[in-house]
Amino acid sequence: MSAASTATAVIASTAWNTWRGDLARSLHWSTWSVRLAIWVSGAVAALASIGLCWLVLYVFGDLRPQAGTDLRPYVRLGLSGVLLAAVIVNSLNAAISPSTDVLRGVLRRLPVSTSSISLGLMQPVLAVGNFIAICLAAPSITMVGYVVASTGLSTAAVGMGVGLLVISGLGVIGSIRVLCWLMTAVLRLPRMYGTAIASLLTLIVGVLLAVPGLGLIPPSGVGVYVPGSLLSELLFDPAAGGFISWALLGVWAVAACALFVLGLRLREIGDGQPATRLLVGV
């Protein structure tokens, strides 16, 4: 394991302990009670997700499209649901996550890169957000895999759903961090406002990207080029749209990953930095 990986792992462990400690103080619970509540909540969420997946299989057992039916609308609907889950959960999670200014300030005095600090400190946010997003997106992924089972494309469809969930999550977190940096470093807004505005803008853009695929009517115009529509077309016909469709899909993936990497490298502006005063005297 490299020095950077070791540093990230140590920072992540510290971030988890700090997060649990802050949660325990806020709730006036013991650390052990917080640990137990986290595990119980996770188990309940996982069981609820499994139950919803079973319900999807039960419902589509009767409503499964007949042979010759165009399955692309169902795949598009499921993949858009996956995108929506990733966007909503990660946006809200980033907006309400506690501040790490104190710990970040201490770590900046050590010979550790900004990327390692950022990646380590966001581990609680990443873990909790991704777990909730997986629980919410699992029924949609199950529906997509079940609907196309007769075509032998279940594995590819499930892989598309999981890949879309992961890449969308990275893109959401990265865009929030970049926008928050612009709000605080360029516009000099307090970080609380910067985070809220960045999360809201990212949420709006993500919902707009998911909406065209939420109906069973084929999208038109710009809606054809959103990730859910592109994936549903390429699943059944890899040659659909030719090079342009694959290039657009690649652009979406590269842009999401690039935003995440850029967000890691940007140095956050803490609450103690000078900022534009808003609502003074109100």
Side-chain angles (χ1 to χ4, degrees):
M1 183 180 292
S2 64
S5 300
T6 303
T8 301
V10 173
I11 294 172
S13 176
T14 305
W16 271 108
N17 292 331
T18 303
W19 181 71
R20 284 194 295 262
D22 290 341
L23 191 59
R25 284 190 294 272
S26 299
L27 298 176
H28 302 288
W29 290 1
S30 65
T31 304
W32 182 88
S33 300
V34 170
R35 287 175 179 267
L36 180 61
I38 292 173
W39 282 105
V40 171
S41 300
V44 170
L47 289 175
S49 180
I50 293 173
L52 289 174
C53 290
W54 176 84
L55 182 62
V56 166
L57 294 176
Y58 177 79
V59 170
F60 274 86
D62 296 329
L63 301 180
R64 191 170 183 173
Q66 302 297 320
T69 303
D70 186 8
L71 301 178
R72 286 175 296 181
Y74 298 94
V75 174
R76 188 168 55 244
L77 175 63
L79 293 178
S80 297
V82 171
L83 176 60
L84 204 58
V87 169
I88 292 176
V89 171
N90 285 289
S91 296
L92 294 179
N93 195 31
I96 65 176
S97 60
S99 173
T100 56
D101 282 348
V102 176
L103 183 55
R104 187 182 299 273
V106 173
L107 292 173
R108 281 177 179 169
R109 301 176 183 274
L110 304 176
V112 183
S113 67
T114 302
S115 298
S116 296
I117 293 174
S118 299
L119 187 58
L121 290 179
M122 69 167 57
Q123 287 307 305
V125 176
L126 280 175
V128 173
N130 285 331
F131 178 77
I132 297 175
I134 289 171
C135 291
L136 291 177
S140 295
I141 296 175
T142 301
M143 181 196 76
V144 171
Y146 184 72
V147 164
V148 301
S150 59
T151 64
L153 296 173
S154 292
T155 302
V158 171
M160 283 184 172
V162 174
L164 180 61
L165 180 65
V166 173
I167 294 176
S168 299
L170 295 179
V172 168
I173 294 172
S175 63
I176 290 175
R177 291 183 64 86
V178 172
L179 287 173
C180 183
W181 181 85
L182 290 174
M183 297 290 175
T184 54
V186 179
L187 299 181
R188 313 291 291 178
L189 293 178
R191 205 190 57 185
M192 180 179 66
Y193 296 127
T195 301
I197 295 173
S199 300
L200 179 60
L201 291 176
T202 303
L203 178 62
I204 292 173
V205 173
V207 171
L208 291 176
L209 290 176
V211 165
L214 293 178
L216 295 180
I217 301 175
S220 59
V222 181
V224 177
Y225 304 109
V226 299
S229 299
L230 287 172
L231 288 171
S232 63
E233 293 294 331
L234 294 174
L235 175 65
F236 294 100
D237 185 8
F243 172 78
I244 296 178
S245 295
W246 286 104
L248 286 173
L249 198 59
V251 168
W252 283 116
V254 171
C257 295
L259 281 172
F260 182 75
V261 173
L262 178 60
L264 291 181
R265 295 182 177 275
L266 292 175
R267 182 169 178 171
E268 287 191 3
I269 306 299
D271 290 330
Q273 299 294 327
T276 303
R277 300 181 67 188
L278 301 176
L279 304 179
V280 177
V282 177

